Amino acid sequence: MNRNLSLKVTLFLIICFPLWNSLKAQTVKSVKIDSSRVARAQNVFVEFGGPGLYFSANYDTRFSKQQAGLGGRIGIGFIADNGSSFTSIPAQLNYLLGKKSKYFEIGIGATFVYFKDAANVSSDIIYFNTTPGGHSTVLGTMTFGYRYQPVEGGFSFRASFNPLFNSSNFEPYAGISFGYSFK
């Protein structure tokens, strides 16, 4: 009977051993993932000054699934007063250098500007004649600045130097923005 029992135990182990190994291979291992490389950074923000000129609401995103690197932004600004109105549409390609929520931002783009009744415009960079009606132009824009953008999302902040230019002028400009970063 001992021999019969030994044979059964041996047979049981021979059958169960391959099954045990395959079950063991299915064990899930904990892997630490760098969240700055998993999710694409996205931002919505309000900017005072900057490529939107006076005031603009903007959306910014990275083009790959990471927090830094190549991305773009687009926005719209609008102000109306005493029958005059100003509309701007800034668009830029930008690149973020840095890590752990703190980045240096560089960018280049253009801003479409439309004035209705532009009689009070007196900037070297945005020049319109004083005839009634609407006037538009496109300005080149650059960005060099600091961006705080939390990896896990939340309050974001930007401060930047934003030169504006056209075919005949170059004007230093600056901007500051507050917003929300999300994945």
Side-chain angles (χ1 to χ4, degrees):
M1 186 137 187
N2 268 344
R3 185 177 174 169
N4 206 8
L5 181 63
S6 291
L7 187 61
K8 286 180 184 180
V9 169
T10 305
L11 187 59
F12 176 77
L13 289 175
I14 290 172
I15 292 171
C16 289
F17 183 72
L19 292 175
W20 176 255
N21 275 341
S22 70
L23 289 175
K24 188 176 177 184
Q26 300 299 316
T27 303
V28 177
K29 294 181 181 180
S30 175
V31 177
K32 185 176 180 182
I33 297 173
D34 182 4
S35 63
S36 67
R37 295 193 157 276
V38 173
R40 173 193 336 231
Q42 298 179 72
N43 257 310
V44 289
F45 58 93
V46 175
E47 184 170 46
F48 301 95
L53 302 180
Y54 301 115
F55 164 82
S56 61
N58 299 269
Y59 170 75
D60 180 281
T61 187
R62 300 298 92 209
F63 294 148
S64 61
K65 289 187 176 185
Q66 53 187 358
Q67 295 291 308
L70 186 64
R73 68 174 271 182
I74 190 157
I76 187 161
F78 180 80
I79 297 174
D81 186 33
N82 294 332
S84 295
S85 65
F86 168 87
T87 304
S88 67
I89 302 173
Q92 272 193 339
L93 283 175
N94 55 33
Y95 195 87
L96 299 182
L97 300 162
K99 58 184 177 180
K100 294 187 180 179
S101 305
K102 297 174 181 86
Y103 303 96
F104 176 70
E105 178 180 359
I106 55 175
I108 190 158
T111 297
F112 172 79
V113 180
Y114 176 79
F115 277 97
K116 180 179 176 195
D117 190 19
N120 297 324
V121 176
S122 61
S123 170
D124 290 336
I125 195 79
I126 306 172
Y127 175 76
F128 299 110
N129 61 28
T130 58
T131 58
H135 306 280
S136 64
T137 191
V138 175
L139 301 173
T141 62
M142 293 186 279
T143 296
F144 304 95
Y146 170 78
R147 180 188 292 201
Y148 173 73
Q149 175 177 287
V151 173
E152 298 299 323
F155 172 78
S156 64
F157 169 79
R158 297 170 66 247
S160 58
F161 171 65
N162 305 99
L164 306 174
F165 58 93
N166 60 19
S167 61
S168 59
N169 291 308
F170 181 88
E171 188 169 306
Y173 209 65
I176 189 166
S177 68
F178 306 94
Y180 186 79
S181 178
F182 55 97
K183 296 185 201 180

